[in-house]
Each structure stands twice: as structure tokens, then as C-alpha cells.
Amino acid sequence: MPQAEIDRTEFEPGHRLVIEVRAWPAGAGRVEFVATARPDGCLLVMREQAVEGPANLLPRATVDRILQWRSTETLRRLAYLAELRAELHETHPAGAAYPTDGASTPSN
């Protein structure tokens, strides 16, 4: 499986991240993440656009469908990681060691 290269191009902590991605043979793309705080958490919007390579030869509607599927899967995985992290913060007080080998943390 080809490895992707990622370059961070713009970053506003807690709000916005823009990266350029390159993966042979697919070409290159620009991905933007925008986070908006909500009372119950955060809304994360992801926009992806092909900027060079074979994807530019395909009809825009076809590329949009492919990127939408991929973006949905990426956001699903990010949501899982965020929810897992939130759960860990609820069950482990600040400063407590997190188990790394499957063993439970010692009681204080």
C-alpha cells in the first residue's frame, strides 16, 4: 500500500487545520478540517479537494463521490478516537498513569 506524505500548510489551534497530502499514484490533494465548539462537544467539518494527478482527469462529480466516501470514513475514525480519549479522561483522573500494556492502573 502506498504511503501518503502530509504537509501542514495552515493551522489555527482549536479551530482550523489545512494539510496537503500526496500519495503515489493517486496524486495530491488539499484537506481542510474546521472545528466548531458546541455545548455537547465539537462539530468537525472536513473538505478535501484533488489538486493534481489522475483524479483531475475524472469528472468532478465522480471525484466528489469518492472523496465524500473517504472523508466520511476519516471522520468516523476520528470520532471514535475522540470518544475513546474522552472516556479515558473520565475514568482516569488528571495526572494518573494510563495503562499501556493492558494492565489496570494501580489504586491510590
Side-chain angles (χ1 to χ4, degrees), residues 4-22:
E5 292 180 36
I6 299 173
D7 290 327
R8 183 179 79 181
T9 60
E10 298 175 37
F11 181 56
E12 297 171 38
H15 177 65
R16 185 168 175 259
L17 172 66
V18 179
I19 58 176
E20 291 181 6
V21 296
R22 288 182 294 285

Side-chain angles (χ1 to χ4, degrees), residues 25-43:
R30 179 181 185 273
V31 182
E32 177 184 34
F33 295 92
V34 177
T36 305
R38 291 189 159 185
D40 61 340
C42 173
L43 172 66

Side-chain angles (χ1 to χ4, degrees), residues 26-31 48-56 60 63-64 67:
R30 179 181 185 273
V31 182
E48 185 172 7
Q49 179 181 6
V51 294
E52 64 182 59
N56 284 331
R60 178 69 184 211
V63 174
D64 285 348
L67 294 179

